[in-house]
Amino acid sequence: MDPQIAAAIAPLLGWAVHGGILTRRLATARRDPLTGLHPRAGWTARAEQCIRRHPHAAVLLVDLDHFKTLNDTHGHAAGDAALVATADRLRTWCGRHGTAGRLGGDEFVAVVRDLAAVDLDALTAALHQPLNHGDSSVPLAASVGVCPVAELSVAVLSDAFAAADAAMYAAKGRGRRGSRVSR
């Protein structure tokens, strides 16, 4: 190969490799490393778009019940497995109807285009299925708060999120292991 051509190509190859590395890092940053769900920022952008386009959308907040006890009793590996299982169950439930995300810790969010098109009881049941971890069955429970966006005076994500949060705490107040729609 001509030395002048090689000298011209070498920086281009370096930039191509660098660009590929940056692209992979960006893709990784757009997903929670443990669960593969969208982190707060990525989910928020998708949720805002969803509630603008779909008047029957709903925002859900999911919080694992007794997560500290699960970690203390079964270990942090079981806690991580519980987070991954919860994420998988929420992602599967959303399917093509919505988007799931992880806020952090044991808190998850979802937005669905039409609450009437999904089965909230099926989500609650899925989130309460025990997790097989190692040689033991780990009980899982979650509280779910739901805010149908149509019930808000103005369809704003922050208001929907606050209403779903209040509904989730109301579900926890009823002894946990359930869901509650904001009213």
Side-chain angles (χ1 to χ4, degrees):
M1 175 179 271
D2 183 359
Q4 289 180 334
I5 293 174
I9 291 176
L12 296 175
L13 287 174
W15 279 106
V17 169
H18 181 70
I21 292 168
L22 288 177
T23 299
R24 281 191 296 283
R25 284 187 179 171
L26 262 176
T28 302
R30 292 183 181 139
R31 297 289 178 165
D32 175 67
L34 179 63
T35 64
L37 292 179
H38 297 287
R40 182 185 294 261
W43 178 84
T44 298
R46 286 165 178 77
E48 287 174 341
Q49 182 180 33
C50 181
I51 66 173
R52 270 194 313 270
R53 291 182 177 177
H54 303 283
H56 299 292
V59 172
L60 292 83
L61 183 62
V62 177
D63 187 72
L64 291 180
D65 295 335
H66 312 292
F67 187 68
K68 182 179 181 337
T69 303
L70 186 152
N71 269 333
D72 292 348
T73 304
H74 299 281
H76 291 283
D80 285 351
L83 295 172
V84 170
T86 300
D88 290 343
R89 293 168 187 185
L90 186 58
R91 180 188 304 110
T92 298
W93 179 80
C94 284
R96 6 175 278 260
H97 300 285
T99 302
R102 181 175 179 208
L103 293 179
D106 63 340
E107 290 187 328
F108 298 85
V109 288
V111 62
V112 291
R113 291 189 295 264
D114 185 356
L115 187 58
V118 294
D119 185 352
L120 188 56
D121 291 334
L123 173 63
T124 303
L127 294 174
H128 294 108
Q129 291 297 313
L131 169 68
N132 292 323
H133 181 72
D135 58 351
S136 62
S137 178
V138 178
L140 293 183
S143 297
V144 180
V146 182
C147 176
V149 175
E151 294 182 2
L152 299 172
S153 57
V154 179
V156 178
L157 181 60
S158 59
D159 292 346
F161 186 81
D165 189 47
M168 185 269 303
Y169 277 104
K172 281 192 178 295
R174 293 184 321 187
R176 303 181 186 229
R177 298 184 59 95
S179 63
R180 182 160 182 149
V181 177
S182 68
R183 297 283 179 228

